[in-house]
Amino acid sequence: MRSAWLLGPALVAGVAYLDPGNVASNMTAGARYGYLLVWVVIAGNVMAWLIQYLSAKLGIVTGRSLPEVLGTRIRNRWARRAYWLQAELVAMATDIAEVLGGAVALNLLFGVPLLLGGAITGAVSIVLLAIQTRRGPRHFEFVIIGLMSVIVIGFVAGLFVAPPDPAGVVGGMLPRFADSGSVLLAASILGATVMPHAIYAHSALTRDRFGSTGGTGPSGSRLPSIRMLLTVTRWDVTIAMIIAGSVNLAILLLAAANLPGVEGTDSLEGAHAAISAGLGPIIGTLFAVGLLASGLASTSVGAYAGAEIMHGLLTVRIPVLARRLVTLIPALIILGVGFDPTLALVLSQVVLSFGIPFALIPLVVLTAQRRTLGEHANQRLTTVLGVVFAALLITLNGVLLWLVATGA
């Protein structure tokens, strides 16, 4: 029972796998190609499990986040600033997508103008971050896990009204593509699944929760050992990835079963309209509520990651709330000038694709080093899998960039 109270950091980081970018990618994949890309969602979740575990392990064993470790390892000041700049741009791109998702959800639910909806989303995320800053990581986890529960209900409810074809689901587990469009969507799904800011954030979340390991606490209670924390973390990551993977799969299956060939599902507004028309207004409303919870939770975690990136790489600690106001501005500008939210989501995924190698490669290298993790360094098989997964994700994100650039 005591171990259950150590769960939580992975569930918070796992919210990044349920952001509006994931919703758009999975909904479009199901509507256009049916069950064809079921295997991509499953494969992405398997890869995400290992990557998130390695990030959590780094934070537990070293007591530092990935940005902090890199901040001490990258000795050249200009190289460190260049690394920070790309990580900062990735964090800002993530924030844009998530604020846009919250704004669209408020517009769908209450007719709130997009600009005002973005401001409301930002304001609520500031409240959530205040909980993390003033009440500590445990209270922040409770709030985010509560929002995750709303996300699950909102995105999964439609399957109980119109369940998918079991034979189609099984057939979708066979790895294959239909055309260049299916390759593009596969890369989009994976790009929206394994995101750089989730890697940076998870190592910081475990550091905040388990900063001291082994020995005796102030009250004389025995603190958990690193080995125990790693065991609990494997369960934590497993639970988080099962939830995130199931929801992402549910979104794809919902579209595959009920929206095949329906136009406009590549936008959040179009997906909501199609679901409301096909499954009824109640399911459409639940979808919009899930989208709102997704935007609120993921933007809070994204802002947390951005603050950690700046602190770890530049050794500058700007209050999370103040930094949140700064990173909110680009999203509000996009909404204010009337920029297409769907196009902004696509472009944000392109920026995220650029950041994948800079987060994955250092993570695999550092967790394989005995001088960094000592006896807890990766076993050879873990390192091999990490290298293979990193190479595959980097390659697919490269394909995504090429297909977007060429208009294919």
Side-chain angles (χ1 to χ4, degrees):
M1 187 65 183
R2 181 191 174 203
S3 298
W5 285 99
L6 299 175
L7 301 174
L11 292 169
V12 174
V15 166
Y17 296 82
L18 297 172
D19 78 340
N22 291 83
V23 177
S25 296
N26 289 307
M27 187 67 67
T28 304
R32 289 189 183 177
Y33 295 98
Y35 303 100
L36 179 71
L37 299 179
V38 165
W39 67 274
V40 177
V41 177
I42 296 173
N45 236 55
V46 171
M47 290 187 281
W49 186 97
L50 179 61
I51 291 165
Q52 292 305 139
Y53 173 68
L54 293 181
S55 175
K57 182 167 76 167
L58 181 69
I60 290 170
V61 178
T62 66
R64 294 182 294 171
S65 66
L66 177 58
E68 285 178 318
V69 175
L70 292 174
T72 60
R73 294 291 180 89
I74 303 175
R75 301 296 179 86
N76 183 281
R77 180 174 59 180
W78 293 106
R80 188 169 63 252
R81 288 177 177 176
Y83 187 95
W84 164 78
L85 181 60
Q86 64 79 29
E88 191 70 36
L89 290 174
V90 165
M92 292 181 70
T94 303
D95 202 37
I96 288 172
E98 292 158 351
V99 171
L100 287 174
V104 169
L106 286 171
N107 178 261
L108 294 174
L109 287 168
F110 308 111
V112 177
L114 289 177
L115 179 59
L116 178 59
I120 294 173
T121 301
V124 174
S125 69
I126 289 174
V127 173
L128 297 181
L129 287 169
I131 293 174
Q132 196 275 338
T133 302
R134 299 177 182 178
R135 303 296 299 275
R138 194 59 177 157
H139 289 85
F140 183 59
E141 288 171 11
F142 285 142
V143 174
I144 297 299
I145 291 171
L147 287 172
M148 179 181 278
S149 301
V150 176
I151 295 170
V152 172
I153 295 171
F155 291 153
V156 175
L159 288 182
F160 292 95
V161 176
D165 173 32
V169 177
V170 173
M173 295 181 184
L174 177 65
R176 66 195 191 282
F177 296 107
D179 51 31
S180 62
S182 62
V183 176
L184 174 61
L185 276 171
S188 297
I189 291 171
L190 291 175
T193 299
V194 181
M195 294 191 289
H197 80 284
I199 299 172
Y200 297 129
H202 203 166
S203 58
L205 288 165
T206 53
R207 177 207 60 197
D208 290 349
R209 273 289 301 277
F210 312 123
S212 300
T213 54
T216 305
S219 63
S221 59
R222 184 73 180 176
L223 294 174
S225 66
I226 290 178
R227 195 167 297 280
M228 177 184 177
L229 288 176
L230 292 178
T231 299
V232 173
T233 295
R234 284 191 284 270
W235 281 104
D236 194 21
V237 176
T238 299
I239 294 170
M241 291 300 99
I242 287 175
I243 294 173
S246 298
V247 173
N248 280 316
L249 189 58
I251 295 170
L252 188 149
L253 295 179
L254 182 68
N258 302 282
L259 308 175
V262 176
E263 295 295 329
T265 53
D266 52 351
S267 71
L268 296 175
E269 300 94 333
H272 173 263
I275 289 173
S276 298
L279 301 179
I282 294 178
I283 299 300
T285 299
L286 287 174
F287 177 85
V289 170
L291 181 62
L292 177 59
S294 167
L296 294 175
S298 57
T299 193
S300 302
V301 175
Y304 171 88
E308 184 58 37
I309 288 167
M310 179 173 288
H311 167 65
L313 292 167
L314 300 184
T315 63
V316 175
R317 186 174 288 282
I318 295 177
V320 174
L321 301 185
R323 190 186 184 284
R324 181 72 192 91
L325 291 173
V326 173
T327 55
L328 183 62
I329 292 174
L332 295 181
I333 291 175
I334 289 174
L335 291 170
V337 300
F339 196 84
D340 181 10
T342 300
L343 180 57
L345 278 173
V346 172
L347 294 177
S348 71
Q349 297 304 308
V350 172
V351 175
L352 290 177
S353 298
F354 279 111
I356 283 286
F358 297 100
L360 276 181
I361 294 174
L363 177 67
V364 174
V365 170
L366 289 170
T367 53
Q369 293 176 342
R370 292 191 67 84
R371 73 186 181 104
T372 303
L373 297 189
E375 64 176 306
H376 302 289
N378 297 341
Q379 297 181 359
R380 181 169 297 179
L381 177 59
T382 302
T383 299
V384 169
L385 288 175
V387 170
V388 170
F389 290 170
L392 183 59
L393 286 166
I394 291 169
T395 300
L396 280 172
N397 276 278
V399 170
L400 172 61
L401 292 173
W402 181 79
L403 289 173
V404 170
T406 58

